[in-house]
Amino acid sequence: RELDDFTYVVSHDLKEPLISIEGYSKILLADYREVLHEDGHELLTSITHSCTRMKNLINELLALSRVGRLRESMTPVSTNGVIKEILDDLEYTIKQRNVCVERADNLPTVLGNRVHLVVLFRNLIVNGIKFNKSDRPVIKIDWREADSMYRFSISDNGIGIEPGYFDKIFVIFHRLRSDLRYDGTGAGLTIVKKIVETHGGKIWLDSTIGKGTTFYFTLPKS
């Protein structure tokens, strides 16, 4: 609890000097463009990009701390409604990437925090699209009963993950892909795992390199 409180406060404080560094760098680029050499342009551009990345890292850290801080009462949440909202938001990306989304009928209602569940499902769906070299990315969303829980699965036909990294992908800021084609901070799956565990569930995966990945997770019945 103390660590969460500390993270919440420090995350805000850390962003202030970054905003200043980024702002002054942009001013230098705009006002002194004619007198700066090419190397100067590159260095200042690199500074602004590094500031942006650092702010994103801090935002992810803040989001992670909020998962532990927010203790709103659990309410019945329609996962069908959650998925519809996410797919509506991703409509442009889905069309641009030629994504096929296959979803099970009658997705169930769970007991949870709706805001957190949107973050959970969105992260896994977006990852399935992002880490995918296929001309026709396929995302499959399914579920089944599992005693007092529902077990959900989100599958893709993407690049896959080596078995030796199954545990490491949930470690904060640990990125398996440093390739610039795959943007992100490496905190997404850490947040996903914490959300699932906050709801009393578990998350695991199965993956084959070059064929795709399936994430499984459980959420309580309403």
Side-chain angles (χ1 to χ4, degrees):
R1 176 72 180 256
E2 290 177 355
L3 180 60
D4 282 343
D5 290 340
F6 173 78
T7 303
Y8 185 79
V9 173
V10 170
S11 294
H12 281 99
D13 293 344
L14 285 176
K15 283 197 291 187
E16 291 305 319
L18 282 172
I19 291 171
S20 296
I21 295 169
E22 182 182 36
Y24 285 130
S25 297
K26 288 181 177 179
I27 290 172
L28 286 171
L29 277 171
D31 294 352
Y32 297 91
R33 180 171 296 276
E34 299 303 323
V35 297
L36 286 171
H37 295 296
E38 184 177 345
D39 288 346
H41 285 211
E42 291 180 359
L43 288 172
L44 285 171
T45 299
S46 178
I47 289 172
T48 57
H49 287 169
S50 294
C51 287
T52 299
R53 174 163 170 73
M54 189 62 186
K55 285 196 300 181
N56 289 337
L57 289 170
I58 292 171
N59 286 335
E60 295 286 9
L61 189 62
L62 180 58
L64 182 61
S65 74
R66 281 174 171 167
V67 173
R69 288 170 59 88
L70 297 179
R71 301 296 180 189
E72 298 96 338
S73 59
M74 301 290 187
T75 60
V77 178
S78 166
T79 56
N80 196 56
V82 167
I83 296 300
K84 183 180 184 303
E85 176 183 327
I86 293 169
L87 295 182
D88 286 346
D89 289 343
L90 295 176
E91 183 178 5
Y92 175 78
T93 300
I94 289 172
K95 288 181 178 178
Q96 185 184 49
R97 290 291 314 278
N98 192 31
V99 179
C100 172
V101 179
E102 300 176 6
R103 50 188 289 193
D105 294 328
N106 302 319
L107 289 166
T109 296
V110 301
L111 190 64
N113 179 293
R114 193 177 194 281
V115 174
H116 290 176
L117 293 178
V118 169
V119 173
L120 163 62
F121 280 93
R122 183 186 178 91
N123 260 286
L124 295 177
I125 292 170
V126 168
N127 278 356
I129 298 172
K130 179 167 66 174
F131 298 103
N132 202 313
K133 296 180 180 179
S134 173
D135 294 332
R136 179 68 162 167
V138 177
I139 305 295
K140 296 181 180 179
I141 305 167
D142 205 353
W143 69 281
R144 75 174 196 182
E145 302 229 12
D147 297 325
S148 63
M149 311 285 279
Y150 290 119
R151 192 196 80 175
F152 293 87
S153 64
I154 297 182
S155 305
D156 63 63
N157 60 336
I159 60 179
I161 302 168
E162 294 181 8
Y165 291 107
F166 282 8
D167 292 330
K168 293 181 180 180
I169 63 173
F170 294 110
V171 177
I172 189 165
F173 301 148
H174 184 95
R175 299 192 66 204
L176 301 186
R177 304 282 173 175
S178 59
D179 194 320
L180 294 177
R181 291 174 298 173
Y182 304 115
D183 60 344
T185 62
L189 288 176
T190 307
I191 294 172
V192 161
K193 185 173 187 287
K194 189 164 185 178
I195 290 173
V196 171
E197 292 177 347
T198 299
H199 283 75
K202 296 180 179 179
I203 184 168
W204 66 100
L205 68 145
D206 185 23
S207 184
T208 302
I209 292 294
K211 292 186 178 180
T213 301
T214 300
F215 282 92
Y216 302 93
F217 56 94
T218 55
L219 295 172
K221 296 179 179 179
S222 63

